[in-house]
Amino acid sequence: MSFIIAVAGKGGTGKTTVASLLITLLSKRKDGAILGIDADPNSNLAEYFGLKVKEDIGSIVDSVAKNLGSIPVGMTKDRYIDFRIQTSILESDGFDILAMGRPEGPGCYCYVNNLLRGLIRNLADDYKYIVIDNEAGFEHLSRRTMRRADRLLLVSDSSEAGLRAAKRIIELIKELAIEIKNIALILNRAPVGTEHCSAPAIAEVGVETIGVIPEDEGLLNLSRQGKPITCLEESSKAFIEVKRILDKILS
Ligand SMILES: Nc1ncnc2c1ncn2[C@@H]1O[C@H](COP(=O)(O)OP(=O)(O)OP(=O)(O)O)[C@@H](O)[C@H]1O
Ligand SMILES: [Mg+2]
């Protein structure tokens, strides 16, 4: 069974940055196959690596539904969708990426959710590590398809709103009975020496703070220049801190 690390939190707090750095660091360890799941239809995990996923699951489901004639003779619709999804997985250097997207057809959600749940269960046998970049607020696809994770990393800035969102996600996880072994908070872009200002709100979240990532000049430059995360210097503060977090998780 794979080791699943899920990343969630309020919009714009650094989820995809953390997820893509974790994938980069895991692939450097050369310790088994890694799958990144982009569960956020509004963002693009692959783009952080300068890559492009051919097709996401939402568009596969839509195109098969619109084009039932395209299903090969002797194959059921489910088998065909499953096959298309398998071939949509982007294979990169040291890791693979699967994008969930969002189906547009009406009433497709339940069907896609069930399909994905089964798929993630099967994929779990093929990959040693799975990193899931969830949608902000954990509201839509992600919460119904993710049934278990070994680690949930809640990313937040030091704002009240960010920390409240993290707390809300923990409540949702409990309501939905998602099986998560360990939940931890990552404080991102926290101005150095100001963590104590948010201490009451952090205590309210009620989980361990596993790391504090400072504002990082290297990350700012990457997004200014549209460069992939793999160009981030290993000496950058964000790289060092996410490495420390990963080491802690895997120890
Ligand atoms: N520690 C940091 N220092 C500097 N810039 C950062 C830091 N963390 C994230 N950023 C920048 O903030 C922006 C938003 O980060 P990111 O895309 O990871 O957030 P997100 O939570 O995935 O957003 P969304 O909810 O839109 O998916 C990016 O341009 C990223 O480079
Ligand atoms: Mg994102």
Side-chain angles (χ1 to χ4, degrees), residues 210-221:
I210 195 171
V212 180
I213 307 173
E215 183 75 12
D216 187 289
E217 195 60 38
L219 278 176
L220 289 175
N221 285 333

Side-chain angles (χ1 to χ4, degrees), residues 102-122:
R102 192 203 306 271
E104 280 165 7
C108 277
Y109 262 132
C110 260
Y111 173 70
V112 178
N113 287 338
N114 285 333
L115 197 88
L116 285 183
R117 225 176 274 165
L119 186 80
I120 291 174
R121 222 179 294 128
N122 293 341

Side-chain angles (χ1 to χ4, degrees), residues 13 15 22 43 62 96 111 119 123 164 175 183 196 199-200 205 210 226:
T13 48
K15 299 179 292 297
L22 287 171
S43 113
D62 280 341
D96 293 354
Y111 173 70
L119 186 80
L123 283 174
R164 225 178 310 122
E175 280 167 32
I183 304 179
H196 65 277
V205 181
I210 195 171

Side-chain angles (χ1 to χ4, degrees), residues 9-18 40 42-43 48 133-136 155 188-189 213-217 219-220 223 238:
K10 186 177 159 299
T13 48
K15 299 179 292 297
T16 309
T17 301
V18 169
D40 182 354
N42 303 310
S43 113
Y48 272 64
D133 180 18
N134 282 293
E135 191 168 10
V155 183
N188 188 24
R189 312 186 83 154
I213 307 173
E215 183 75 12
D216 187 289
E217 195 60 38
L219 278 176
L220 289 175
S223 50

Side-chain angles (χ1 to χ4, degrees), residues 25-82:
L25 285 156
L26 279 169
S27 69
K28 281 179 194 290
R29 292 171 78 104
K30 298 198 189 309
D31 173 36
I34 302 148
L35 177 69
I37 297 184
D38 185 356
D40 182 354
N42 303 310
S43 113
N44 199 332
L45 178 61
E47 249 170 40
Y48 272 64
F49 293 99
L51 304 167
K52 211 168 157 37
V53 174
K54 254 191 306 172
E55 232 183 347
D56 63 46
I57 296 178
S59 58
I60 291 174
V61 171
D62 280 341
S63 93
V64 175
K66 273 191 212 130
N67 231 320
L68 292 173
S70 66
I71 302 173
V73 180
M75 222 188 226
T76 63
K77 182 175 153 199
D78 284 11
R79 280 268 300 126
Y80 182 54
I81 289 178
D82 199 57

